[in-house]
Amino acid sequence: MFGRSAISRAGGFRPENLGQNALNLIGNIGFSLFVFGVLVFTIIAATYEPEDPLFHPSDKITTFLTSTSNATLRSDDSVAKTGEDFMPANQTAFASFINITDVETTASEENTESNQLDCDASIPIDCKDSEVFHLMMKATIEKFKDIHFYKFGKPAVGEGANSCDMAWRYRPRDGKSAAFYKDYRRFVIGKSENCSVSVVEIGEYHSGLNARKRKKNQKAGFEKTDGKKDDFSLPVVGETVNDSLPMVESEKAFKSGKYLVYAGGGDRCKSMNHFLWSFLCALGEAQYLNRTLVMDLTLCLSSIYTSSGQSEEGKDFRFYFDFEHLREAASVLDEAQFWKAWGRLHNKKDRLSLHLVEDFRVTPMKLADVKDTLVMRKFGSVEPDNYWYRVCEGDAESVVKRPWHLLWKSRRLMEIVSAIASRLNWDYDAVHIERGEKARNTELWPNLEKDTSPSALLSTLQDKVEEGRNLYIATNEAESSLFNALKDKYATHVLDEYKDLWDESSEWYSETTKLNGGNPVEFDGYMRASVDTEVFLRGKKQIETFNDLTNDCKDGVGTCNVAAT
C-alpha cells in the first residue's frame, strides 16, 4: 500500500501535471491573501475612531493656520464648520415622518366623537375643531411634497372670521443636514352650504404669527409615535431665540465654583476657522478640568470678511453662533459678568484664589489637581506660541477633546437660509461659482476665469442641471449680471435677491439691533458667505467650482494631490 501511495503522489510531478498544479497553488495563495486583506480591513474599519472632526493631527492644523504663503492662497477664509456639520443626517431617523394616511386614519377615528361644524357662514371657523385641524394638516402635506413633517401644532385663531394659523416641524425630503425647521403659516378656511370645509389658501413662509409660540397649557398637536425616543439634541431653526447672558446666581454659588479663563494671545482678528480651533480648545480644557469657561463674547472680525478691508472689533459672538445652545449644553459665563462678581467678592475678607499659568506647555493634566477658584492662562505677544490652540497640542491632544457638538451656527442666520429655501419650495439645484481674486490670478488658477465665463457655464451645466429648474448661484462674484446668460435656461437666484430678509424691516435686523444695544448690525461678509454656503448645501444637486466646473486646483497649481491627502 505504501509503495502504491508513494507512486500515486509522485505522479503529481509528471510534466503534464506541473502547469495545473502551479495554477492551483497560485490560486490558493491568492485567495488566502484576499481573505487576510479583508480581515485586516474589517478590523481597521471597526476600530478606527478619529480624534477630531477635522480628521487631522494638530501639526497639520497648526501648519494650515499659521501659513505664511501668498495672501491669494487663502485656505482658511471659508465658512467655518460647526457641530451640525459633523452630525450624520440620518440621525433624524429616530422619528418617523407623518404621512397623509396617518392624518386620515386619526381623522376617521376622531370624527365619530367630534361635533358637526355649524353651517352658518356668519359664524367664525372654530380653529380648535379636530376636523379643521386634520383638514389643514392634509392640505399642508399635499402642497409641500418636498418636505417631511414630524410634528403639527394645534391651530390658533388667525385674523378674520375664516383664518387659522398652524405651525409644524419639518425637514426637507432630501435634507443633507442634521437639523429640524419650524414654519408657521396662515390658512384661509372656506365653508360651503352643505357644511363641508376646505382650505382656500395657505399663506407665505412664517405668515401664521399667532401659531409661532406655543401657549401655556396648550394641548399637544399631532406627532407620530413609533416608540423611538429623541436621544440627542438637534438644532430647530425657526424657534424663538433666547440667547440672553447667564446670570451669576448668588455670591455663595459663585464662590463655590471653579473657573478657567484665557487672557491675551494672538488669536484675535484671525479667520473664523482659527478662532474656532482655539476657542474649542479652551472649552475642551474647561470641560476636562470640570471648570466653567469664562468667555469674551466680543469678537474681532478678520479683514478677509469685511467690506472695509480692515479688521473690525466689537462684533458679538451671538451674531455668528448659537449661544443659547452653548450655555444650555456647557458651563460658560460672560467675561464682563465674571469680573464684576469677582471684583465684588475679592474685596471682601474671604479673598478668592488665582492660579496663573503663563506657559502654554503646562498641560491640562498638570492643572487637574489645582484647587484655586480661578485658573488663568495668560498668553504673550509672540506668534504662534501665543495661540490658544497650542494648549491642546502634544500630549494634551489625546486627552482634551474639542466639543464640536456644543457649537452650532447662529439660528438667526439659519432662519434666513430656511426662508430662502422655503421660497424655492426646497426644490432647487445649486451651483457654487468661485471667482474673485482666484479668477484674476492666472498663475495659480490658469483656467478658472475661462471655465466660469457665461458661455462655459452654459455648456457645462446643460449636462448637469435640467432646463427650467430653479438654480441657486452661490458666488463671490460682485457682478451678478455676469450670470444673466443662464436665465434663458434656468430660473436663477442669487443671495441679493433676498435682501428683505436682513434689511431694516426684517426680524433679523430687529433682533440683532436689540442684541447690539440698539445699534444696527451690518450683514457682513462672513454672514453673507455663511448664508450663501448653507443655501447651496441644501440644493438637491450641488455643483462645485473645483472638480465640477474647472480642473484647476482649489488652492492653486500643484495642490490638488496635496488637498486630497
Side-chain angles (χ1 to χ4, degrees), residues 199-487:
V199 173
V200 177
E201 180 184 337
I202 300 178
E204 296 298 321
Y205 180 75
H206 282 12
S207 56
L209 294 176
N210 292 343
R212 181 177 187 180
K213 293 183 180 180
R214 182 177 175 179
K215 298 177 175 60
K216 291 182 179 179
N217 303 320
Q218 180 180 339
K219 292 183 179 180
F222 186 89
E223 186 173 9
K224 190 172 181 179
T225 57
D226 54 7
K228 296 180 182 179
K229 295 182 179 179
D230 182 357
D231 295 325
F232 43 82
S233 179
L234 288 174
V236 181
V237 178
E239 294 282 10
T240 303
V241 178
N242 177 16
D243 50 7
S244 57
L245 301 180
M247 303 299 294
V248 176
E249 295 181 5
S250 66
E251 288 189 2
K252 182 179 179 181
F254 184 83
K255 287 195 308 184
S256 63
K258 301 294 182 184
Y259 306 93
L260 171 69
V261 64
Y262 280 32
D267 304 273
R268 206 157 184 85
C269 303
K270 295 295 192 296
S271 74
M272 201 65 83
N273 283 294
H274 182 126
F275 165 74
L276 289 188
W277 192 242
S278 284
F279 173 74
L280 288 171
C281 170
L283 186 58
E285 183 182 26
Q287 291 196 312
Y288 172 76
L289 297 176
N290 197 25
R291 289 175 173 268
T292 296
L293 179 67
V294 179
M295 59 179 291
D296 183 2
L297 283 173
T298 64
L299 301 183
C300 173
L301 189 66
S302 170
S303 59
I304 61 179
Y305 309 120
T306 65
S307 56
S308 65
Q310 302 293 320
S311 296
E312 296 177 1
E313 287 280 5
K315 301 290 186 177
D316 195 305
F317 179 92
R318 294 169 291 181
F319 296 165
Y320 310 97
F321 304 105
D322 188 345
F323 184 68
E324 180 179 5
H325 171 64
L326 178 62
R327 73 163 191 221
E328 290 176 352
S331 182
V332 294
L333 188 59
D334 173 48
E335 187 177 83
Q337 290 182 315
F338 172 82
W339 287 121
K340 185 177 180 180
W342 175 274
R344 187 169 58 248
L345 291 173
H346 202 62
N347 291 330
K348 297 184 177 181
K349 293 181 180 179
D350 187 15
R351 298 175 69 86
L352 303 176
S353 54
L354 166 68
H355 184 89
L356 182 63
V357 181
E358 296 186 278
D359 188 345
F360 74 88
R361 290 169 293 188
V362 176
T363 66
M365 296 81 84
K366 292 180 180 179
L367 301 176
D369 296 326
V370 172
K371 305 299 182 184
D372 297 273
T373 304
L374 175 64
V375 171
M376 174 187 282
R377 281 194 179 273
K378 190 174 181 180
F379 296 83
S381 57
V382 180
E383 299 186 17
D385 286 348
N386 65 347
Y387 293 159
W388 291 5
Y389 64 74
R390 301 302 301 272
V391 171
C392 296
E393 294 179 346
D395 293 340
E397 187 174 11
S398 61
V399 176
V400 176
K401 304 295 183 182
R402 286 177 173 83
W404 292 93
H405 62 286
L406 299 179
L407 193 69
W408 294 348
K409 295 176 180 67
S410 161
R411 280 188 285 143
R412 292 188 179 91
L413 289 179
M414 294 307 296
E415 176 70 6
I416 295 176
V417 174
S418 175
I420 294 173
S422 293
R423 290 184 184 182
L424 296 172
N425 291 319
W426 294 91
D427 183 20
Y428 64 95
D429 298 323
V431 57
H432 174 225
I433 304 175
E434 186 167 350
R435 287 176 58 84
E437 289 183 15
K438 290 184 178 181
R440 291 189 289 272
N441 189 330
T442 55
E443 290 186 12
L444 292 175
W445 295 276
N447 304 300
L448 182 59
E449 183 173 17
K450 172 175 62 68
D451 290 340
T452 55
S453 66
S455 58
L457 289 171
L458 276 171
S459 175
T460 305
L461 293 177
Q462 68 178 355
D463 297 326
K464 299 179 183 296
V465 181
E466 185 180 342
E467 188 171 347
R469 290 277 296 162
N470 276 319
L471 181 65
Y472 184 84
I473 302 172
T475 183
N476 63 344
E477 173 59 52
E479 295 296 331
S480 59
S481 59
L482 180 73
F483 310 120
N484 284 346
L486 298 179
K487 292 181 179 181

Side-chain angles (χ1 to χ4, degrees), residues 87-125:
M87 290 181 182
N90 62 3
Q91 283 200 31
T92 51
F94 70 89
S96 300
F97 61 86
I98 300 169
N99 291 299
I100 198 164
T101 53
D102 300 318
V103 178
E104 290 173 341
T105 301
T106 308
S108 62
E109 292 173 355
E110 294 183 1
N111 278 345
T112 58
E113 303 175 6
S114 64
N115 297 322
Q116 187 72 25
L117 283 171
D118 199 308
C119 292
D120 189 346
S122 64
I123 297 177
I125 289 291

